[in-house]
Structures are given as structure tokens and as C-alpha cells.
């Protein structure tokens, strides 16, 4: 058998057999996971529904207890002669809309007033009347039909007599029956929401006594019915506040077919993946059999060129989707990062070298410039005003002062030590920078800015450079706006002016030293210093917009809460 055939058969067998097993196992695991998740979701919904039902019944329970103490209920001793109780009960039933009946019994069990007019009756033998007459503070009862259906809930509370009167003590009973339609509406709302989600369920409510396996109050359980295949979620009520609840168990049942509906897309995806894998395996086998050595030779030749020349711009061939292609692509990305790191290192070394030269120049110029400035200032003071000599000395003094400023900027640029690591109030830094830059700057700070670690003086100097550049670009009467806030976990500060903008050919070298748009009036160090300071603080400064009438620089500094590691 040829090598091509052996490679083809081996690749197909090795790739397809594990894949088929994996697809089958994954599909079974996913089915079980979906069914278990559906059951847990139904159990959670059942528990939430019971909590809302308990809160609903708690409110009805408290209503009955509080209504029994109303002043109008005292008319029960005179058989509600002027129909005040009946009118009150009728109004309460209409206002709340959740009671099927509200009525009062006197202390003998005779019907005195009813929210729905009816014939007189006696309820002396009813358990709720006997319980209240026996001294119970309240009576709660729920009856679930044996054939299933909605529970019929009844609350009863004693009507107390007025203290100090002849009727002091128990004078009657207020009885309230909860409308089963209100309970049905709550359950139907749950089913309606599930239907919209594509998961219709059958809801049943039953007594918690005798449930197998036993379910504790507030407990939840989920399972798959082994006979019907339905997904079942159950929960038991736990009451609410001083309302003990009735210990009901709410059951949600969903057909297996609808519970597994989310699997339809997964099943199709697995089939597509399986079919695609077969095709890829065949193509890959043919490709490897046809020319396995060719890509290896190309990779080897490219690697030899890189080794012999030392150049990092020689890409390796990465044509195929196989391991060789992946290796070549990964190596190409590594070469790209190395080239970027090399360029960054060269730039940093260049800036460092320029900084050393700048420091030496500043040191050599500092003393002569100071001497010339001091002598010129002394001679100027002793010269007659408006004389030619005074004008010449003033010119000398201005030039010497300019050189002193240049020396200071050179020293600022050459300063490359790590910034001080101390808590910095960024908002105060921004306000100080605006104050130092002069009047006419619009400052807007979005709320309180968090403190970071850094060097407040360096950050202030960076912002002053940016603001002064903006003022000089905007010119007399121009506008400069500074905003500060927090964006995506970083301090964001912007400086915007309405100047003429920056030429495109200057933008690529904007943050390099001695690059300026001010001609002979500028030194080109302000933005270079701002770039260095932002970099030393782990942040960035960049030009985000430049057009006639609007130029914006953005500074972003990482948030380092007080107590964390240093900024660098």
C-alpha cells in the first residue's frame, strides 16, 4: 500500500471515529443537561409562584383581621339595622375584587350582613365559627377538591366589642371567602409567560401532606417522569410573615418534546459539524498525501533566511489550516511582535539618547544663560529709559530669558526617573493645571474622580503643556475646553481648542522631540514631555481629532485605587 493511501486511511479513521463517539456522548450529555435545567427552572418558578400566592393570601388574611375591628362592625349586635355593615362589605368586595363572599355572623352564628344579599342562615356548627367562639384569634382554612382543581380559601376573624360597654368581648365573626378566580389568574399568568417562551406547562396544586418523597416547607425538587417523560418541577409553600400558609405543593409539568426544543439547534449544529469534519478529514488526507514535504521545506527555507540575515520581516508561509500552517502563523505573529518591540526599543533608546544630549545642552547653557540674564537685567535697570542702550539690553534680556525657558524645557524632557508613587487627587490636579494655564479655559469634571497613584507635579505639568498648546493654537479670543471623567475603568481627560487644526504631515511625528507647529517660536518639547509623563504613569496621550475649528487631545490614565500597587 502506498504512503498516500496509508496517510488517507489513517487520517480518516483517526479523525472520524473519535468524532462520532464524541458527538454521541456530547448529545446525550446535552440532553440530560437541558432536561435537568428545565426541571430546576420549573421548580424555581413554582417556588416563586407559591411565594407570591402566600403574599397574596397574607394580604387577604390581614384584611379580614383589620376589617373585623372596624367601628361599623359593632352594628352586628343590632343585626345591622341600618345596613351599614352590608354596605361596607359590598364596597370592600367590589373594591378588592378578590373575594367571592364577605359576611358577618352574630355571636349565635346567625347571618347578620352579607356582601351579596341572600337568605338568612346559621353557621353555628361550622368549624370556623366554633374556633372563633372558642377563643381563636383567627381561623384559616383551605380545601382542595379531591378530583383536583383550585383551592377554596376561607378566613374568619372575631369581631370584638367596645371596651367598657355591655358588649365588651366577642360579639360576632367576619368571614371572607377568597375567589378561586383570583388564584386562577395568578397561575394562568405564570403559564402564559412560559407559553410565550415556548415552554407550555400543566399546573396543579395539591396538599403537601402525604407527598412522596416528603417535601419540606419552602423546599424544591425537580425530576423527569420515567413513565410519561415529562419534566417536573415542584415546590412547597412556606407562608409569609405571620401567615403560616397551607403547605401546598405546586407542580409544573412540561412535555419532553417542548423541553428539548432548544436542542433542535444543537442537534443541527452537531450534524453540520460532523459532516464538515468528514469533508475536512478527506481533504486534509488528500492534501497531506499529495505534498506533506512541500510546506515543511518552505518553512525550513524561510527559517534559514531569518537565521542567516537576522531580519524579522521575512514571513513564513502559512497557507494551510493544519498544524504546520498554525505553527507558521503563530511564528509570524511572534515575529511581528518582536519587530514592534524592536521598533519601540529603538524609539526609546533614541528618546533616551536625545534626552542625554538635551540634559548636557541644558547643563552647558544654564550657567551662561543665567549670567547673561542677570547682567542684562542689572544693566537695564541702570540704563536711561527709552535709550537705544536700554532697548538693546531689553532685547538681550528677552533672549536670555527665552534661553532659560528652553533650558527648563530641556531638563523637563531629559527627566526620566520613575514618578513618585503617592495618592493623587486627579480632580485637584486638573483644576491646578487649568489655574496655572491662565484664564479663559472651560473646565468640566464629571463627578468625583477617584484617587490614583502617581506624581501630582508631573501630571500637572503634562496638562499645563496640553492646555497652553491649545490656547496658543486657538489664538487670542479662542476657546479651550477641558473635560475629566471616568470611562471604561480609566481616567479620561480631554483638551479641546477651536484652532485651525494640525497638518497631516506633522501628526505622525507629533509626540517626537523638537517637532513643532509654531515655527521658530516653539521648541517642540511640550507634547514630547506630555507623552513621557503619560507613559511613565502607564497611560497614553493621543490626538483623537484635528480639523479646522476643533482639535482634541485625550489623556487616559489607568485606575490604581489607593492601596494597590504602584503606577508603573
Amino acid at each position: 500500500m502506498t504512503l498516500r493511501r496509508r496517510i488517507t486511511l489513517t487520517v480518516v479513521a483517526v479523525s472520524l471515529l473519535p468524532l462520532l463517539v464524541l458527538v454521541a456522548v456530547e448529545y446525550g450529555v446535552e440532553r440530560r443537561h437541558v432536561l435537568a435545567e428545565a426541571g430546576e427552572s420549573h421548580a424555581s418558578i413554582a417556588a416563586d409562584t407559591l411565594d407570591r400566592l402566600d403574599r397574596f393570601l397574607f394580604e387577604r388574611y390581614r384584611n379580614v383581621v383589620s376589617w373585623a375591628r372596624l367601628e361599623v362592625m359593632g352594628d352586628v349586635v343590632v343585626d345591622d339595622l341600618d345596613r351599614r355593615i352590608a354596605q361596607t362589605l359590598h364596597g370592600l368586595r367590589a373594591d378588592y375584587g378578590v373575594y367571592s363572599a364577605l359576611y358577618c355572623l352574630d355571636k349565635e352564628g346567625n347571618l347578620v350582613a352579607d356582601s351579596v344579599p341572600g337568605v338568612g342562615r346559621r353557621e353555628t356548627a361550622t368549624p370556623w365559627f366554633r374556633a372563633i367562639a372558642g377563643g381563636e384569634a383567627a381561623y384559616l382554612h383551605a380545601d382542595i377538591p379531591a378530583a383536583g382543581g383550585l383551592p377554596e380559601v376561607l378566613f374568619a376573624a372575631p369581631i370584638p366589642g367596645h371596651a367598657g360597654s355591655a358588649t365588651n368581648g366577642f360579639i360576632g365573626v367576619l368571614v371572607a371567602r377568597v375567589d378561586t378566580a383570583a388564584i386562577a389568574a395568578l397561575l394562568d399568568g405564570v403559564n402564559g409567560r412560559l407559553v410565550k417562551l415556548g415552554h407550555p406547562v400543566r399546573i396543579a396544586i395539591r396538599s403537601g401532606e402525604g407527598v412522596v418523597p416528603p417535601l419540606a416547607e419552602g423546599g424544591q425538587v425537580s425530576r423527569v417522569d420515567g413513565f410519561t417523560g415529562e419534566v417536573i418541577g415542584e415546590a412547597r409553600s412556606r407562608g409569609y410573615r405571620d401567615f403560616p400558609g397551607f403547605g401546598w405543593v405546586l407542580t409544573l409539568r412540561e412535555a419532553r418534546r417542548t423541553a428539548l426544543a432548544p436542542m433542535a439547534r444543537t442537534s443541527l449544529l452537531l450534524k453540520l459539524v460532523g459532516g464538515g469534519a468528514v469533508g475536512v478529514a478527506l481533504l486534509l488526507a488528500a492534501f497531506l498525501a499529495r505534498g506533506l514535504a512541500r510546506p515543511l521545506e518552505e518553512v525550513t527555507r524561510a527559517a534559514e533566511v531569518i537565521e542567516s540575515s537576522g531580519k524579522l520581516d521575512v514571513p513564513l508561509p502559512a497557507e494551510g489550516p493544519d498544524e504546520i500552517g498554525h505553527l507558521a502563523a503563530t511564528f509570524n505573529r511572534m515575529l511581528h511582535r518582536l519587530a514592534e518591540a524592536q521598533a519601540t526599543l529603538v524609539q526609546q533608546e533614541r528618546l533616551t539618547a536625545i534626552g542625554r544630549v538635551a540634559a548636557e545642552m541644558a547643563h552647558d547653557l544654564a550657567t551662561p544663560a543665567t549670567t547673561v540674564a542677570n547682567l542684562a537685567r542689572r544693566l537695564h535697570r541702570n540704563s536711561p529709559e527709552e535709550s537705544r542702550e536700554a532697548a538693546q539690553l531689553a532685547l538681550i534680556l528677552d533672549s536670555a530669558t527665552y534661553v532659560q525657558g528652553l533650558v527648563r524645557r530641556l531638563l523637563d524632557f531629559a527627566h526620566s526617573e520613575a514618578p513618585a508613587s503617592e495618592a493623587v487627587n486627579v480632580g485637584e490636579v486638573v483644576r491646578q493645571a487649568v489655574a496655572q494655564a491662565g484664564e479663559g479655559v472651560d473646565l468640566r469634571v464629571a463627578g468625583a474622580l477617584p484617587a490614583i497613584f502617581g506624581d501630582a507635579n508631573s501630571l500637572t505639568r503634562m496638562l499645563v503643556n496640553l492646555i497652553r498648546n491649545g490656547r496658543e493654537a486657538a489664538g487670542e479670543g479662542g476657546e479651550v475646553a477641558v473635560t475629566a471623567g471616568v470611562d471604561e475603568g480609566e481616567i479620561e481627560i480631554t483638551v479641546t481648542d477651536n484652532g485651525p487644526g494640525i497638518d497631516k504631515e506633522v501628526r505622525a511625528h507629533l509626540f517626537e522631540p523638537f517637532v513643532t507647529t509654531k515655527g521658530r517660536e516653539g521648541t517642540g518639547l511640550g507634547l514630547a514631555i506630555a507623552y513621557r509623563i503619560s507613559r511613565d504613569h502607564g497611560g497614553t496621550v493621543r490626538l483623537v481629532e484635528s480639523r479646522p475649528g476643533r482639535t482634541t487631545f485625550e489623556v487616559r490614565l489607568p485606575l490604581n485605587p489607593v492601596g494597590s500597587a504602584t503606577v508603573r
Side-chain angles (χ1 to χ4, degrees):
M1 183 180 292
T2 64
L3 179 61
R4 179 179 298 182
R5 290 181 180 178
R6 287 200 299 268
I7 293 176
T8 302
L9 291 177
T10 301
V11 171
V12 171
V14 170
S15 61
L16 289 185
L17 290 179
L19 180 63
L20 293 176
V21 174
L22 178 62
V23 168
V25 172
E26 179 65 23
Y27 186 74
V29 171
E30 185 67 17
R31 279 172 61 91
R32 289 194 295 271
H33 174 72
V34 168
L35 293 176
E37 191 175 60
E40 293 172 0
S41 175
H42 293 343
S44 177
I45 293 173
D48 180 68
T49 302
L50 285 174
D51 285 343
R52 286 189 285 138
L53 183 57
D54 282 339
R55 288 196 295 271
F56 169 78
L57 294 177
F58 164 76
E59 293 170 357
R60 308 289 76 76
Y61 162 69
R62 297 304 302 173
N63 284 347
V64 173
V65 173
S66 61
W67 292 343
R69 295 181 173 87
L70 293 176
E71 182 272 336
V72 69
M73 295 300 172
D75 288 0
V76 72
V77 299
V78 295
D79 294 334
D80 195 23
L81 187 62
D82 57 0
R83 310 298 295 168
R84 288 204 309 156
I85 300 178
Q87 292 173 4
T88 300
L89 296 179
H90 177 76
L92 291 173
R93 182 170 178 267
D95 290 342
Y96 281 80
V98 294
Y99 297 99
S100 60
L102 286 170
Y103 58 91
C104 286
L105 306 172
D106 62 17
K107 63 187 303 180
E108 280 76 34
N110 299 311
L111 179 67
V112 174
D114 196 338
S115 60
V116 180
V119 297
R121 63 178 181 272
R122 290 175 59 85
E123 294 191 358
T124 310
T126 58
W128 51 88
F129 182 81
R130 292 201 304 267
I132 299 301
E136 294 290 338
Y139 180 83
L140 297 79
H141 176 73
D143 183 27
I144 300 178
L150 297 172
E152 298 176 357
V153 180
L154 177 145
F155 296 119
I159 301 174
H162 298 293
S165 66
T167 59
N168 184 21
F170 160 73
I171 62 173
V173 181
L174 174 62
V175 182
R177 295 180 182 272
V178 179
D179 194 346
T180 56
I183 299 177
L186 190 149
L187 300 180
D188 290 343
V190 173
N191 190 34
R193 289 193 296 272
L194 290 174
V195 168
K196 290 181 179 179
L197 296 174
H199 294 278
V201 295
R202 292 190 296 116
I203 301 178
I205 201 166
R206 55 186 172 139
S207 172
E209 302 298 330
V211 174
V212 180
L215 192 59
E217 291 185 358
Q220 302 178 26
V221 66
S222 62
R223 66 182 187 278
V224 177
D225 193 308
F227 181 73
T228 64
E230 291 179 311
V231 179
I232 301 174
E234 293 182 320
R236 185 169 181 177
S237 66
R238 55 186 174 182
Y240 183 74
R241 294 188 181 178
D242 61 339
F243 173 66
F246 298 108
W248 294 333
V249 172
L250 185 65
T251 304
L252 274 64
R253 292 175 173 265
E254 182 182 5
R256 177 188 291 262
R257 177 181 55 82
T258 58
L260 290 175
M263 284 290 297
R265 180 178 297 180
T266 303
S267 177
L268 177 61
L269 179 61
L270 291 176
K271 292 177 182 178
L272 292 175
V273 170
V278 172
V280 169
L282 292 173
L283 292 175
L284 180 60
F287 174 76
L288 291 175
R290 181 179 60 86
L292 182 61
R294 183 176 59 84
L296 291 175
E297 292 173 354
E298 292 178 354
V299 170
T300 302
R301 284 195 298 268
E304 290 174 349
V305 172
I306 294 173
E307 181 185 13
S308 60
S309 65
K311 297 181 179 179
L312 298 176
D313 57 351
V314 181
L316 298 180
E319 299 175 357
D322 55 9
E323 288 81 358
I324 298 175
H326 178 71
L327 174 63
T330 302
F331 196 72
N332 285 338
R333 290 194 294 270
M334 181 185 68
L335 290 177
H336 179 69
R337 287 196 293 268
L338 286 174
E340 288 182 343
Q342 187 181 55
T344 301
L345 182 60
V346 170
Q347 176 68 8
Q348 290 180 351
E349 290 179 349
R350 179 171 174 268
L351 292 177
T352 302
I354 294 175
R356 285 198 295 268
V357 173
E360 292 176 1
M361 292 177 58
H363 181 268
D364 292 340
L365 290 174
T367 301
T370 302
T371 302
V372 172
N374 291 337
L375 290 175
R377 189 176 295 108
R378 186 181 306 168
L379 292 172
H380 185 268
R381 284 198 301 266
N382 297 327
S383 299
E385 294 184 5
E386 299 182 359
S387 65
R388 181 179 179 183
E389 179 183 358
Q392 292 173 340
L393 288 172
L395 180 60
I396 294 173
L397 181 59
D398 291 341
S399 299
T401 303
Y402 171 79
V403 172
Q404 285 181 314
L406 179 60
V407 168
R408 284 193 298 271
R409 287 190 289 273
L410 287 171
L411 289 174
D412 284 342
F413 173 73
H415 180 71
S416 59
E417 297 178 358
S421 179
E422 59 183 6
V424 175
N425 185 330
V426 180
E428 185 62 27
V429 165
V430 174
R431 283 186 283 271
Q432 288 182 2
V434 170
Q436 292 181 23
E439 299 179 353
V441 178
D442 180 20
L443 172 61
R444 283 169 287 179
V445 178
L449 300 180
I452 66 172
F453 269 107
D455 189 324
N457 292 331
S458 297
L459 293 173
T460 303
R461 184 162 61 252
M462 172 185 68
L463 295 178
V464 169
N465 286 343
L466 293 175
I467 296 171
R468 286 177 176 171
N469 281 353
R471 295 190 64 176
E472 292 172 359
E476 187 176 353
E479 298 178 356
V480 177
V482 178
T483 65
V486 178
D487 178 59
E488 297 181 354
E490 293 182 318
I491 298 290
E492 181 187 69
I493 305 171
T494 63
V495 179
T496 303
D497 65 74
N498 62 348
I502 300 174
D503 295 338
K504 292 183 179 180
E505 57 270 16
V506 178
R507 296 176 191 175
H509 308 283
L510 196 59
F511 295 101
E512 295 181 5
F514 310 116
V515 174
T516 180
T517 60
K518 307 172 188 175
R520 298 177 61 87
E521 297 180 0
T523 62
L525 292 175
L527 292 179
I529 293 171
Y531 173 82
R532 179 184 58 75
I533 294 173
S534 66
R535 182 197 63 192
D536 290 345
H537 285 76
T540 60
V541 57
R542 64 190 183 101
L543 176 68
V544 295
E545 182 182 15
S546 182
R547 55 183 171 83
R550 186 175 181 84
T551 298
T552 301
F553 283 88
E554 178 191 74
V555 176
R556 299 187 75 88
L557 300 172
L559 286 178
N560 295 90
V562 175
S564 66
T566 58
V567 171
R568 292 179 70 88

